[in-house]
DNA sequence: CTATGGCACGGATT
DNA sequence: AATCCGTGCCATAG
């Protein structure tokens, strides 16, 4: 009995395992594509309609009651709430990057369409008397979405102050595609950077590179930039990579730059987060609410009709359908399993890193994936897959990689940064090592130097007391 | 002599 | 098995 049972489950679990593993390493956005794909090819799968919480109209999946509301009513324990959610109303900034959400490589705006498209978005924000000016700006956009007439000329033409035109230009720039109607590629990049900065953690070097070394940037002279900024080459490369992946100097073109092989950062800026951490009702006094995002509305399930149809199916089709059915139920199970691990993982992480989430990076605990793996009694690789490539939206709306929860020295680095920020005279690395030791961080002098380099902080002798932004 | 960056090694982590 | 990280040693610059 036991043997046969084992045998049977073993058979399914090998397939199970293989698929759970692949599903686990997928981003919510990737999972969505996967599900959509399956859904259109496999007739045995269907998507059950969404249900909403009657109180807060949050979308519910696989659960009876909205955990937030029920938790809010039944007097709260201090435990954070962790649950599955398919909400889509992330606070992704002024305008989420709708067009860029879908990696459609051939997408490009037709000129007329661009005008209509942009105007449609900004029309409500325009005063009626500004319509004419807006129309004029639109007509002066080149095919890349940049303004090819100087602002001052437009101002002169309409007999209004330059600042007025610039104000309207700002409205344009914040519309989608972000940065449209900028005067130069550089300006477009900066606008995009600002918008992203509201909601995401960005490389520190991105702005100085764009501001000061646009010419070098366009020629990809990374080592030269590093030299001029007196910063680590690695940092610079990272920042340039970030710019190439996430910003676009020609707003109306979808992509620029080089190798869009997306492994390292996977365009995470534009994709939605996989986990959202927030305070209940956005009130910092309340407990934490953690939502593991299911990318699609509704509940995925094996269609009961299909099950019935299978019984009366003809012999020749039966085999094929049976296969479909099996795949379908496998997928459903695997997704459930994926969600289960994600939930357990986040549950644990939120408890361990609560201080970090509440009070910032210097309170980040050094935690290893291996430790979590033993605690949750799963294999290390499971945690690795669950973590890699995923992103978390923090209560302050910044989106960070989930792997940051496992950063071994971010806390030390932030304290280091703080110390240097506050210094009155530049400390040498050995001084810093001592100070850090007093703060409870025992690190070698050499290591301080490494951290400095990581943060792009100059050595003491090049460091004035006044910090340059 | 002091401060710092490069290289490389060993142990931990993935 | 591959990669990352902290550290020590050494060369170099001031």
């Amino acid at each position: 009995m036991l043997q046969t049972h084992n045998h049977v489950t073993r058979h399914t679990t090998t397939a199970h395992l293989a698929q759970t593993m692949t599903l686990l390493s997928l981003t919510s956005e990737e999972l969505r594509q996967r599900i959509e794909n399956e859904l259109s090819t496999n007739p045995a799968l269907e998507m059950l309609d969404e249900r909403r919480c009657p109180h807060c109209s949050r979308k519910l999946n696989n659960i009876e009651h909205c955990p937030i509301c029920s938790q809010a009513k039944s007097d709260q324990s201090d435990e954070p709430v962790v649950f599955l959610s398919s909400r889509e109303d992330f606070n992704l900034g002024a305008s989420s990057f709708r067009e860029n959400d879908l990696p459609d490589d051939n997408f490009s705006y037709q000129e007329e369409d661009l005008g209509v498209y942009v105007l449609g978005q900004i029309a409500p924000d325009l005063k009626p008397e500004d319509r004419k000016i807006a129309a004029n700006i639109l007509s002066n956009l080149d095919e890349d979405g940049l303004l090819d007439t100087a602002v001052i000329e437009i101002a002169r033409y309409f007999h209004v102050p330059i600042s007025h035109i610039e104000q309207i230009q700002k409205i344009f720039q914040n519309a989608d595609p972000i940065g449209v109607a900028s005067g130069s590629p550089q300006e477009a990049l900066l606008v995009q950077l600002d918008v992203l900065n509201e909601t995401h953690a960005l490389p520190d070097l991105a702005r100085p590179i764009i501001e000061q070394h646009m010419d070098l940037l366009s020629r990809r002279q990374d080592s030269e930039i590093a030299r001029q900024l007196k910063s680590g080459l690695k940092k610079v490369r990272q920042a340039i990579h970030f710019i190439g992946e996430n910003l676009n100097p020609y707003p109306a073109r979808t992509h620029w730059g080089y190798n869009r092989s997306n492994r390292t950062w996977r365009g995470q800026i534009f994709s939605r987060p996989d986990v959202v951490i927030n305070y209940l009702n956005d009130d910092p006094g309340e407990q934490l609410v953690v939502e593991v995002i299911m990318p699609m509305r509704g509940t995925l399930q094996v269609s009961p009709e299909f099950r019935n149809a299978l019984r009366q199916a003809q012999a020749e089709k039966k085999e094929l359908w049976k296969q479909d059915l099996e795949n379908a139920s496998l997928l459903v199970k695997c997704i459930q399993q994926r969600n289960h691990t994600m939930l357990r993982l986040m549950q644990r992480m939120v408890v361990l890193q609560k201080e970090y989430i509440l009070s910032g990076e210097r309170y980040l605990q050094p935690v290893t994936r291996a430790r979590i793996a033993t605690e949750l009694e799963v294999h290390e690789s499971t945690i690795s897959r669950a973590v890699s490539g995923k992103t978390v939206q923090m209560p302050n709306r910044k989106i960070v990689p989930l792997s940051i929860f496992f950063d071994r020295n971010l806390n030390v680095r932030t304290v280091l940064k703080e110390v240097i920020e506050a210094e009155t005279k530049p400390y040498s690395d050995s001084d810093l090592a001592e100070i850090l030791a007093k703060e409870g961080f025992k690190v070698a002098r050499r290591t301080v130097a490494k951290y400095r380099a990581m943060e792009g902080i100059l050595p003491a002798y090049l460091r004035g007391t006044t910090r340059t932004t």
Side-chain angles (χ1 to χ4, degrees):
Chain A
M1 171 69 189
L2 192 66
Q3 267 182 355
T4 49
H5 183 247
N6 268 345
H7 185 72
V8 171
T9 48
R10 168 111 72 67
H11 208 75
T12 57
T13 41
T14 38
H16 234 193
L17 273 170
Q19 192 156 14
T20 322
M21 289 200 310
T22 44
L23 286 183
L24 188 58
S25 52
L26 296 186
T27 311
S28 65
E29 201 54 29
E30 291 166 334
L31 184 64
R32 186 173 63 82
Q33 287 171 19
R34 174 67 185 276
I35 292 177
E36 269 174 8
N37 186 28
E38 267 335 293
L39 215 48
S40 60
T41 48
N42 191 333
L45 276 175
E46 72 174 15
M47 186 63 89
L48 211 60
D49 275 348
E50 63 187 275
R51 287 206 322 278
R52 284 168 180 274
C53 169
H55 302 294
C56 64
S57 79
R58 199 172 291 267
K59 288 161 191 161
L60 306 180
N61 274 332
N62 301 322
I63 41 177
E64 282 304 313
H65 300 291
C66 172
I68 291 188
C69 289
S70 54
Q71 191 76 15
K73 270 182 281 174
S74 70
D75 218 307
Q76 52 272 71
S77 56
D78 216 20
E79 285 286 295
V81 196
V82 183
F83 73 109
L84 257 191
S85 144
S86 62
R87 68 190 275 216
E88 288 165 352
D89 58 324
F90 304 103
N91 294 297
L92 283 181
S95 148
S96 59
F97 288 65
R98 280 179 297 273
E99 302 307 327
N100 292 346
D101 270 349
L102 306 169
D104 181 349
D105 278 7
N106 297 321
F107 185 90
S108 76
Y109 294 93
Q110 301 297 313
E111 274 176 69
E112 311 90 332
D113 288 348
L114 175 65
V116 175
Y117 177 69
V118 175
L119 195 58
Q121 297 171 72
I122 66 172
D125 298 336
L126 287 173
K127 296 182 203 129
E129 65 266 28
D130 289 340
R131 291 270 160 80
K132 267 189 289 181
I133 302 179
N136 183 281
I137 291 180
L138 277 183
S139 67
N140 280 317
L141 293 184
D142 65 13
E143 57 193 356
D144 294 326
L146 296 175
L147 193 59
D148 59 6
T149 315
V151 172
I152 187 168
E153 278 184 40
I154 303 178
R156 209 172 280 154
Y157 182 82
F158 285 98
H159 304 292
V160 294
I162 296 180
S163 61
H164 188 185
I165 304 293
E166 284 175 339
Q167 219 174 321
I168 299 176
Q169 189 184 23
K170 280 221 177 68
I171 300 179
F172 269 92
Q173 288 171 326
N174 283 316
D176 184 75
I178 293 191
V180 69
S182 294
S184 68
Q186 183 179 28
E187 196 183 334
L189 291 180
L190 287 173
V191 170
Q192 290 163 18
L193 200 65
D194 284 339
V195 172
L196 284 181
N197 195 33
E198 288 168 21
T199 50
H200 300 78
L202 309 179
D204 304 335
L205 256 45
R207 172 168 284 275
I209 290 177
I210 298 173
E211 273 178 343
Q212 301 159 31
H213 301 292
M214 195 59 196
D215 48 333
L216 293 174
L217 174 63
S218 51
R219 271 174 281 136
R220 302 283 137 60
Q221 311 268 25
D222 46 5
S223 47
E224 181 62 17
I225 294 177
R227 208 178 58 77
Q228 295 209 16
L229 283 178
K230 303 210 168 58
S231 177
L233 184 58
K234 201 170 155 194
K235 263 255 149 178
V236 170
R237 287 225 173 103
Q238 216 178 18
I240 292 182
H241 182 230
F242 169 87
I243 294 170
E245 285 289 314
N246 297 303
L247 305 183
N248 185 347
Y250 306 104
R253 292 188 202 162
T254 25
H255 302 309
W256 78 317
Y258 49 114
N259 63 336
R260 275 197 73 73
S261 65
N262 43 6
R263 255 292 119 180
T264 32
W265 276 52
R266 262 207 255 186
Q268 57 184 231
I269 291 301
F270 292 130
S271 53
R272 306 179 180 293
D274 303 279
V275 177
V276 174
I277 302 179
N278 209 342
Y279 301 105
L280 181 60
N281 300 329
D282 234 342
D283 173 4
E286 292 283 359
Q287 83 220 79
L288 284 175
V289 174
V290 182
E291 305 177 45
V292 174
I293 302 301
M294 264 301 281
M296 302 190 70
R297 290 174 285 121
T299 310
L300 193 69
Q301 67 167 19
V302 177
S303 155
E305 288 87 8
F306 190 89
R307 272 224 167 82
N308 290 336
L310 178 63
R311 287 200 198 103
Q312 314 148 12
Q314 327 196 340
E316 71 229 47
K317 284 185 179 173
K318 207 157 186 166
E319 268 311 301
L320 203 63
W321 286 18
K322 206 169 176 179
Q323 196 52 247
D324 281 339
L325 188 94
E326 219 154 85
N327 288 341
S329 73
L330 182 65
L331 184 71
V332 173
K333 272 184 203 157
C334 287
I335 289 179
Q336 281 175 3
Q337 193 142 349
R338 178 195 125 105
N339 291 337
H340 183 231
T341 7
M342 286 304 292
L343 287 171
R344 294 219 305 151
L345 171 66
M346 287 319 295
Q347 175 84 58
R348 195 74 196 106
M349 290 323 294
V350 169
V351 173
L352 283 174
Q353 301 289 21
K354 191 164 181 181
E355 281 305 304
Y356 158 59
I357 297 166
L358 298 180
S359 330
E361 293 181 340
R362 64 168 292 170
Y363 299 98
L364 192 78
Q365 299 294 317
V367 176
T368 65
R369 298 158 173 49
R371 173 177 158 199
I372 303 298
T374 47
E375 284 182 8
L376 299 187
E377 296 175 304
V378 294
H379 192 82
E380 299 173 5
S381 68
T382 310
I383 302 295
S384 276
R385 288 169 192 281
V387 169
S388 76
K390 304 281 166 46
T391 56
V392 185
Q393 186 180 78
M394 304 294 277
N396 61 11
R397 305 287 147 77
K398 296 260 180 190
I399 296 182
V400 299
L402 178 53
S403 58
I404 210 173
F405 283 74
F406 297 91
D407 196 306
R408 270 191 266 171
N409 50 28
L410 185 59
N411 48 0
V412 193
R413 268 157 38 212
T414 8
V415 175
L416 178 70
K417 260 197 290 188
E418 286 171 11
V419 172
I420 294 181
E421 282 296 320
E423 78 190 356
T424 48
K425 70 169 184 5
Y427 293 119
S428 74
D429 286 347
S430 11
D431 294 340
L432 290 168
E434 273 186 44
I435 297 172
L436 288 179
K438 279 177 194 153
E439 297 263 347
F441 301 102
K442 290 170 289 177
V443 282
R445 174 240 114 210
R446 189 64 190 79
T447 313
V448 173
K450 290 263 152 120
Y451 289 169
R452 259 196 317 99
M454 279 188 190
E455 299 297 337
I457 300 174
L458 299 172
Y461 64 90
L462 289 175
R463 208 159 63 222
T465 48
T466 46
R467 287 226 52 68
T468 43
T469 47

